[in-house]
Amino acid sequence: CRWEKSKLSVINGRHKQEETMTKKRLFITLLIAIYSTLLGSEVTKYIRYVYQGQESYGILEGETVRELDGDIFSAPTLSGKTLQLSEVQLLAPCKPTKVIAVGLNYRSHIGNRPIPEYPGLFAKYPSSIIGHEESIIMTSDATDLHYEGELVIVIGKEVKNISVSEAHNYIFGVTAGNDVSERKWQRDDLQWLRAKASDTFGPIGPVITTGLNYNDLLLQTRLNGELQQSERTKDLVYDVDTIVSYISRYLTLFPGDIIFTGTPGTTKAMKPNDIVEIELEGVGVLRNKVVAAKDKKGIY
Ligand code: MG
């Protein structure tokens, strides 16, 4: 009987221990939930659009657009006017003074080539930037035009020579981008000017999202609805803060400047009428159609 009692007290003790553990687990889960909600409340989606011939910035909440007075980089205020997303024509979500890109920044894209010892930079022009649902124009001499789905950094404040640990303070948010690349021109030309910086070779959008953990977002590319690329941004060789710090050593970055961070996996050639979609977690789907240019082949 004494043995039975002691056995019972051991079982009771275990039950109490388990109960305490369950309570602890519940408490931690609750804390995480509260913390995520608080973090979540900082996530804001910004758009740039035209409505009745007038260009504005706005905050997108579901299907509702809240118009902003001023641009998103200089403490804008809500004008009080709201619109439906279906009423506005979306533009590229910002107007950069410069567009920088990093090449070979995912192991899955590098393949057998050596990992770069520092971020490999190249330039695209601000005039290559287009928005969601605008057309990628394929000139008649383009024969190997590829998509490159990428996370794009949007700079929020003027910055020069910043450390990696402080870089995040100068990043406004992120958007999805397509670093459209003509592979034959990339191989043949002296520099990647035609290959990367031609008009319409830089779709970005549809929104700039702030408050995301840009170090771990799912990035996917679909061509005519078929999944082509799928990787998380945690697999970047040089992460977002490192890229911003590195570039700021050489260039002054201004509000609205953007940085393409590199594409994962492999890419394929596109042809006129193809639909390419880049989806970035927390940002949404950037969709563009490839359209043949009405140019004259052989004019040069
Ligand atoms: Mg690229």
Side-chain angles (χ1 to χ4, degrees), residues 105-287:
N105 204 18
Y106 284 92
R107 281 176 178 78
S108 60
H109 186 65
I110 294 167
N112 295 327
R113 293 170 284 194
I115 304 284
E117 287 172 21
Y118 50 88
L121 305 181
F122 60 92
K124 292 171 83 80
Y125 286 123
S127 50
S128 70
I129 298 305
I130 56 170
H132 178 63
E133 300 282 15
E134 286 189 74
S135 299
I136 298 166
I137 306 296
M138 188 171 178
T139 58
S140 53
D141 55 345
T143 54
D144 202 12
L145 189 71
H146 288 221
Y147 54 80
E148 287 191 0
E150 306 195 7
L151 169 132
V152 173
I153 305 164
V154 182
I155 298 296
K157 287 184 246 174
E158 184 174 326
V159 61
K160 169 82 181 173
N161 219 14
I162 198 70
S163 66
V164 174
S165 62
E166 287 173 298
H168 67 97
N169 294 319
Y170 296 86
I171 295 166
F172 180 79
V174 294
T175 188
N178 190 345
D179 175 21
V180 176
S181 310
E182 215 292 353
R183 298 286 184 230
K184 186 172 186 305
W185 301 347
Q186 221 177 331
R187 285 190 301 272
D188 294 353
D189 291 1
L190 179 66
Q191 293 199 346
W192 289 355
L193 195 148
R194 276 198 306 168
K196 294 280 196 175
S198 287
D199 285 357
T200 75
F201 280 18
I204 59 166
V207 307
I208 298 170
T209 308
T210 60
L212 292 174
N213 172 19
Y214 46 69
N215 290 317
D216 192 12
L217 299 173
L218 180 65
L219 173 69
Q220 295 191 310
T221 303
R222 285 182 292 274
L223 185 62
N224 301 321
E226 254 179 58
L227 188 66
Q228 306 290 334
Q229 298 179 294
S230 182
E231 197 149 336
R232 299 197 71 86
T233 58
K234 68 176 168 54
D235 295 329
L236 281 165
V237 174
Y238 294 101
D239 67 18
V240 167
D241 294 344
T242 304
I243 291 169
V244 170
S245 169
Y246 179 75
I247 293 173
S248 79
R249 190 183 300 168
Y250 310 102
L251 305 174
T252 305
L253 294 167
F254 296 103
D257 282 356
I258 58 172
I259 304 162
F260 284 74
T261 55
T263 202
T266 51
T267 64
K268 257 188 207 165
M270 305 181 287
K271 55 186 188 314
N273 297 318
D274 278 353
I275 304 284
V276 59
E277 291 173 313
I278 316 296
E279 182 164 10
L280 182 64
E281 187 179 354
V283 167
V285 179
L286 166 70
R287 184 182 307 108

Side-chain angles (χ1 to χ4, degrees), residues 79-97:
S79 73
K81 186 171 160 186
T82 61
L83 295 160
Q84 284 306 294
L85 182 59
S86 56
E87 295 178 283
V88 306
Q89 183 206 332
L90 285 179
L91 301 170
C94 62
K95 293 192 281 188
T97 71

